Amino acid sequence: MIKETPVGINNYLIKQLPNATVFLNKKLEVVHVSDKWIQDFELINDNVIGKKISELFNNMGKVWLRNLKECLKGNRSEPTKEIHCTAENKEKRVEWTNVPWYDEEENIIGIIVQTVDISKKVLGELKLEKLTSLLSGKSEISKIGTWEYDIVKDSIHWCEMTKKIHEVPEDFIPSVETSIGFYKLGYSRNTISMAFNNVMQFGKPWNEKLQIITAKGNEKWVSATGKPIFDHDKLIGLIGTFQDITEQILSETKIKESEQLLKTLIDNLPINVYIKDIESRKILVNKAECDFAGVDSPNDILGKNDFDIYDKETAQTFRDEDLEVINTLKPILGRESTCKAKDGSLTSILVSKIPLFNAKNEIEGIVGMSLDITEMRKAQRKLEEKERNFRSIFNSSYQFTGILDIDGTFIEINETALGFTNVTAEEIIGKKFWETTWWPQTEAIKQSLKKTIKAATKGKFYRNEVEVYDKNKNKIPVDFSLKPIYNDKNKVVSLLAEGRMITEMVAAREKIKESELKFRTLYEMSPVSFVLYDFETSKIIDFNPAFERTFGYGKRSVKNIDFWALFNDRNKYYREQINNDLETKGTFGPFGEKLIHKNGVEYSVIINKSLIINKKGEKQVWTIIQDISESEEKERQIREERKLLKTVIDNLPLNVYIKDEQSRKILVNKAECDYLGVENAEEILGKSDFDLYDKEIAQVSRDEDLRVMISLKPILGAETINKKKDGTITTFLTSKIPLKGEDGNAYGLVGISLDISELKQKEQELRSLINVTSLQNKKLLNFAHIVSHNLRSHSANFSMLLEFLVNEKNEGEKKNILKMLVDASNNLLETLENLNEVLAISTKVNLKKSSVNLNQNINKIKQNLSSLLKNNKVKIINTISDEVCVPAVPAYTESILTNFITNAIKFKSIERDPVIKLSVTKNDGYTILSFEDNGLGIDLNKYGDKLFGMYKTFHDNPDARGIGLYLSKNQIEAMNGKMTVTSKVGVGTTFNIYFNEEN
């Protein structure tokens, strides 16, 4: 089998070759093979020798096979890369080298093939390529560039990112001097110069954060690194990185500045600030907290809890507050409590504690703030006491007393003065002194008072007797005085106005009696109950008839019971609380209670109390009791009515809703829910139209809402179109009414809408029907005029001819007249036929249309008119497809086509043979049939408005009757179509017939 194989080859030596080698003869059969080749391709030695190489490698590539054949011709080939699959189906990448195999006489006897496994090399190249790509991407993201310095060549290479950081062109060639020159003068340039010197002399690498000035003059912070490269202990170059860290440095600087600012701010706050961990150990405190705890440094507190700092009771209170915040995750804000300071004193503090979360949103402690309000509370109590004393003195004064600003404006007025004029403080305070109702409103008095006030502001005391009006407009003599009030700088800051009535004692007593009578009348007649009882014993002293009428108690029935028995003997603590308020404030209430009727039934009442002291110094309490049982019943009825109203609204066939100022729905009825396709109103409430409808429709609705709420003018019965997000379109009648608050401004609106989509559809159908009816009526009226005119003409002609016939004696003339009568009769019959045809068209509406093939009708008409077309040498150019059909009345279609073809022949030009062009287009729901001729044409400027009139002719053609175009137009309009015309005199005319594609 291998006779051509030389026997001089030492097979043993080939087997031990270090490279995978195989010898092939000219038939490409294996002659010799090295063990390495067998091993690389996982073959069995016994099964290789004598086999063709193609049998051993089924997936042998065409390129490699071609190279082997070329090699047998003595042509060496370039190494070939192939993929080989092993017995375990693993891919190997192999490089083949083929050389001719010669014998001693230089004859080619085969091929020597050597293979090298390059799988690892290929994978390494792929990895290197991926690594290079990844490094390039990361460099772009992190703004890290590289640089290399070749000492031998004294050249520096910058990567693209390094050049970007320095803002230099891509073709920029750096040097050592220019590289160092980019660093900012001073620390940065000195540092990089020293670093470069150290690496060159001692091989010491560097990693520094420095500043550079770019080629464009921008200042940047960079992280610059460099390290030496050695070759057999000889420094041959440097390599390093270059990263833009400007944003990082600026961010760190801002953070440090913010931290310093925050620390300074916290330390200088006039409140105690601290942070605690979960165990209530303090991990941050400010200076105020250190001062409160009595320590010099935060280190004396940090790590300690409140039990290490305060007494046990105070510490436990603080710990309970901490746990409350930690467990509920709800802050404590402005809670007032009492604690014992380090020196043992009781201190009032306002405490706020807020939960502190970490990055994982887990609770890791609290932030606490407290403010010592001890002195503030003391000052507040003193101020309140002074205010009570002032009010008590001010309001209990028998004099009319008021305090004025230096311009004469009321600042304060006592109750005595208010009672005298029967006005409220709100009506007086802020008003000018001379404009009040008790002064006679004369110009002289006003000017006098202004002058007096002006003098008082300069320190002058004024006193005089004047007459003022009381609440009944009676003149009362008063001792009036005006005194300046000074501040601590001896400057007049306000004025004290006082008035004392000085009418004779008798008159005064009479007035008092009159006032007492009025009070007693009011007391007796008032529908509100008044009860007077002793403050100490609670025994009832007096009550008015209203109390007896309302609650059934008489003088005897309450003689032996105290006031509190009327309320089921409220507990002692409750009574003490009320009595304490009465003693400190003088009044108590209003407050709600349940008072027991004599028959045992409880009544809901509102109570107000006022403490008085009689002439004997005994404390007594006036109690005003208002029965609100009826009001409560009315409230119950109102609730029932609201429930009923809700039921009514929900069952209205209208969409009802209420919106707030932001157009969010806060109430909807069932119809609105059904329209929006939700089962529960909660799915709509709180949402705006932008959440429920198309954006454009929602914006229109929002604009309407704003217009109603701003102008306070309702929109009533406006027709609107809604488009829901699912594309559904509906038409509504919408009304929007503003909801006004007490201040007169709108705080929302009430909307009512009625879906009229179906009604609009019916309205459109009715409008269409009315239009058709109107058009028919118009046509019939026009027809009546035509009939009247035409028949009148014929009847007049008949009458005239008959008159001639009666009076004519000549037999020859009589025959002529009879012939004329026959012609007139024929004309009348023709007219009647035309009118009958027009009437038939005009009175038929909603004609049933069917699909009519245009070409079939055209061919039929051409056949019927063949002799006419032939005699007139008519050429018809038809570009209509045989498939074109139109929805039409067949008889009308045939009539229309016949009329237009015959008209084109009647009104042909004598200068040329007639040509008729037929074509079809489609547009906007119409099939448009075009008739174009080259006839006489029509002057549309002159005859355009008469073109389709009955019996209208525009040429001298004796065959023209003026009926064809009129009938055709009526027929096409009867089929809901239309007709248009364009024409040029002497050139031709084009009629466009629009067949409506709707049936």
Side-chain angles (χ1 to χ4, degrees), residues 537-646:
T537 64
S538 300
K539 293 298 181 182
I540 296 175
I541 300 169
D542 192 16
F543 56 84
N544 70 340
F547 177 77
E548 184 175 355
R549 289 194 304 270
T550 305
F551 302 106
Y553 293 99
K555 297 288 183 182
R556 292 181 181 180
S557 55
V558 296
K559 186 176 182 181
N560 298 318
I561 62 175
D562 66 20
F563 176 77
W564 295 106
L566 302 175
F567 302 93
N568 271 334
D569 287 323
R570 295 301 299 257
N571 63 60
K572 182 180 179 183
Y573 174 76
Y574 180 76
R575 291 165 60 180
E576 287 178 353
Q577 180 186 353
I578 293 175
N579 288 342
N580 182 58
D581 281 3
L582 284 172
E583 285 188 309
T584 56
K585 299 178 182 178
T587 59
F588 186 84
F591 65 99
E593 262 295 354
K594 295 287 186 181
L595 191 146
I596 303 171
H597 192 277
K598 187 178 178 182
N599 60 16
V601 178
E602 283 191 340
Y603 278 67
S604 296
V605 295
I606 295 293
I607 294 177
N608 284 278
K609 291 179 177 291
S610 181
L611 181 67
I612 62 171
I613 300 175
N614 64 11
K615 294 178 181 179
K616 297 179 182 179
E618 298 169 338
K619 294 180 181 179
Q620 296 175 343
V621 181
W622 271 114
T623 303
I624 303 173
I625 305 172
Q626 184 179 356
D627 181 9
I628 60 169
S629 302
E630 187 176 346
S631 298
E632 286 189 340
E633 177 61 24
K634 287 182 179 178
E635 287 180 3
R636 186 192 64 77
Q637 290 176 358
I638 289 170
R639 287 195 295 271
E640 291 294 328
E641 288 172 359
R642 284 178 178 172
K643 185 176 179 182
L644 178 61
L645 182 61
K646 179 78 167 59

Side-chain angles (χ1 to χ4, degrees), residues 367-385:
V367 176
M369 289 168 279
S370 61
L371 176 64
D372 187 345
I373 59 170
T374 308
E375 295 302 321
M376 185 177 73
R377 284 287 179 256
K378 289 179 182 178
Q380 186 177 356
R381 285 192 289 272
K382 288 181 181 179
L383 184 62
E384 288 173 354
E385 185 177 354

Side-chain angles (χ1 to χ4, degrees), residues 82-263:
E82 294 283 342
I83 297 175
H84 171 69
C85 290
T86 65
E88 296 178 358
N89 207 27
K90 293 181 181 178
E91 283 190 356
K92 269 189 177 183
R93 296 180 182 271
V94 182
E95 186 176 76
W96 299 81
T97 303
N98 311 312
V99 296
W101 178 16
Y102 297 93
D103 60 10
E104 293 85 350
E105 298 177 357
E106 297 295 324
N107 296 316
I108 295 175
I109 61 173
I111 304 169
I112 303 172
V113 181
Q114 287 189 321
T115 62
V116 179
D117 187 345
I118 59 170
S119 299
K120 290 183 179 179
K121 179 182 176 183
V122 171
L123 289 175
E125 289 174 351
L126 289 173
K127 286 181 181 178
L128 180 61
E129 184 179 346
K130 289 179 182 178
L131 186 61
T132 301
S133 175
L134 182 62
L135 183 60
S136 175
K138 285 187 174 180
S139 172
E140 186 67 30
I141 294 170
S142 60
K143 297 183 179 179
I144 298 177
T146 60
W147 61 270
E148 296 178 22
Y149 174 50
D150 189 328
I151 292 177
V152 178
K153 296 180 180 179
D154 189 24
S155 63
I156 290 181
H157 171 72
W158 284 358
C159 75
E160 184 181 348
M161 179 53 66
T162 302
K163 290 180 180 180
K164 280 185 180 180
I165 294 172
H166 284 79
E167 296 182 341
V168 296
E170 292 183 5
D171 59 354
F172 178 77
I173 300 174
S175 66
V176 174
E177 290 76 15
T178 56
S179 298
I180 294 174
F182 276 102
Y183 288 86
K184 188 175 180 180
L185 275 173
Y187 173 78
S188 294
R189 190 174 294 183
N190 293 340
T191 301
I192 197 65
S193 298
M194 290 295 295
F196 187 77
N197 184 61
N198 287 337
V199 76
M200 294 297 290
Q201 288 191 21
F202 310 110
K204 185 179 178 181
W206 77 81
N207 186 346
E208 300 287 349
K209 291 182 181 179
L210 304 171
Q211 287 177 284
I212 66 167
I213 307 296
T214 70
K216 294 182 179 180
N218 296 318
E219 189 172 302
K220 291 184 180 181
W221 279 93
V222 295
S223 175
T225 67
K227 62 182 292 185
I229 302 174
F230 294 95
D231 184 11
H232 298 91
D233 295 331
K234 181 182 178 182
L235 182 65
I236 62 170
L238 306 176
I239 189 170
T241 61
F242 210 80
Q243 183 180 7
D244 184 349
I245 59 169
T246 306
E247 292 180 4
Q248 176 187 337
I249 293 294
L250 291 177
S251 177
E252 289 173 357
T253 303
K254 285 182 181 178
I255 289 170
K256 288 178 182 178
E257 289 174 354
S258 298
E259 288 176 351
Q260 184 63 33
L261 180 62
L262 182 61
K263 188 175 186 308

